Amino acid sequence: MSDGTPADLFLDAAIGLLRRVRAEESGAIAAAGTLLADTVESGGRLFAFGAGHSSLAAQDVVYRAGGLALMNLLAVPGVVGVDVTPAVLGSALERVDGLASAVLDSSPLREGDALVIISLSGRNALPVEMALHARALGIKVIGVTSVAYATETASRHSSGTFLKDHCDVVLDSKIAVGDAELTLDTVQAPFAPASTVVTSALMQSVLATAAAILADRGVEPPLLRSGNVDGGHEWNARIMEKYGDRIFYHH
């Protein structure tokens, strides 16, 4: 590792990844934003899913001030995050065949909706099966993943495929296999993961694109406002009433 504090080096690495995403994924971001805008305009609903730490970026766009009110979290019990004990159970459930299909079949998702599936490696059974089954149901799928895993690791799904192979749009986070940006001679393992920073930025970029596209089409983007600004609660109440049948975290 070159000169500089670990904090400086991590921030430089994160900035470098964000610059790569801006330069290399602009077309995919535009496509994903258009897909979400099309879904909103046609009366569809929006959902986001991620397992483990990938769920953080999904949760970040649900019921979020400045975000689209129609984005719902598709939660799978036991895999959303480290709130489950033992935490390793979530990792184990990601590898269980059949779980994703059961979740989708009992969820509100239906033909014409859009589902964002976030999985850094994209190799486990859960995200792969979820994308496969969702598309079979007529649901549009946006995958947010690191494409590097598809060339440097083996799939854990019975098909031998990755999340990226079953998406209408793929957003590549550019994260290296292992998700650790720093090394030090005094530290035995690589450290400092950047996937959450980059994936959250990708998600917000896509939603910002969708909102702008809707506005350009003359459609009011169903955005939420902060409850900590004057008029925020009244604004949100109007949005909730107007789109209540497409919002599932409010009931």
Side-chain angles (χ1 to χ4, degrees):
M1 194 165 68
S2 59
D3 292 339
T5 69
D8 288 341
L9 292 166
F10 173 77
L11 291 171
D12 286 344
I15 290 167
L17 286 163
L18 291 171
R19 289 186 184 278
R20 281 193 64 195
V21 164
R22 184 175 66 179
E24 300 171 21
E25 295 301 300
S26 59
I29 291 169
T34 301
L35 190 157
L36 294 187
D38 290 345
T39 303
V40 171
E41 191 173 14
S42 64
R45 294 88 58 81
L46 311 179
F47 293 82
F49 167 79
H53 288 96
S54 290
S55 180
L56 295 174
Q59 294 178 56
D60 188 49
V61 295
V62 176
Y63 189 47
R64 184 65 188 263
L68 292 175
L70 304 193
M71 184 63 76
N72 301 278
L73 184 68
L74 178 62
V76 179
V79 306
V80 171
V82 295
D83 57 331
V84 64
T85 303
V88 293
L89 175 62
S91 298
L93 289 174
E94 285 188 69
R95 305 177 190 180
V96 174
D97 290 330
L99 179 58
S101 295
V103 168
L104 284 174
D105 290 342
S106 61
S107 78
L109 274 150
R110 66 188 183 193
E111 184 177 0
D113 290 345
L115 172 61
V116 182
I117 301 175
I118 304 168
S119 174
L120 177 61
S121 73
R123 68 188 297 223
N124 289 310
L126 184 58
V128 176
E129 180 187 333
M130 186 169 286
L132 271 166
H133 194 55
R135 293 184 86 189
L137 295 173
I139 298 161
K140 296 293 186 181
V141 175
I142 298 170
V144 185
T145 187
S146 169
V147 173
Y149 278 83
T151 57
E152 299 180 39
T153 68
S155 170
R156 289 177 174 148
H157 187 256
S158 56
S159 67
T161 60
F162 289 76
L163 169 62
K164 73 174 187 63
D165 299 316
H166 308 288
C167 299
D168 296 280
V169 180
V170 176
L171 297 168
D172 184 3
S173 64
K174 315 296 180 182
I175 301 295
V177 174
D179 192 16
E181 294 300 320
L182 304 185
T183 58
L184 278 176
D185 292 341
T186 54
V187 179
Q188 292 183 327
F191 61 105
S195 60
T196 304
V197 173
V198 177
T199 304
S200 290
L202 270 170
M203 291 293 292
Q204 294 295 350
S205 298
V206 169
L207 266 64
T209 301
I213 289 172
L214 286 168
D216 286 344
R217 295 176 180 176
V219 178
E220 181 191 3
L223 296 168
L224 293 172
R225 300 192 70 178
S226 171
N228 296 314
V229 300
D230 292 342
H233 288 299
E234 292 77 13
W235 173 284
N236 292 340
R238 178 180 67 86
I239 295 294
M240 293 290 184
E241 181 177 1
K242 183 176 181 179
Y243 295 98
D245 60 335
R246 299 157 74 180
I247 298 171
F248 297 92
Y249 53 81
H250 190 243
H251 304 297

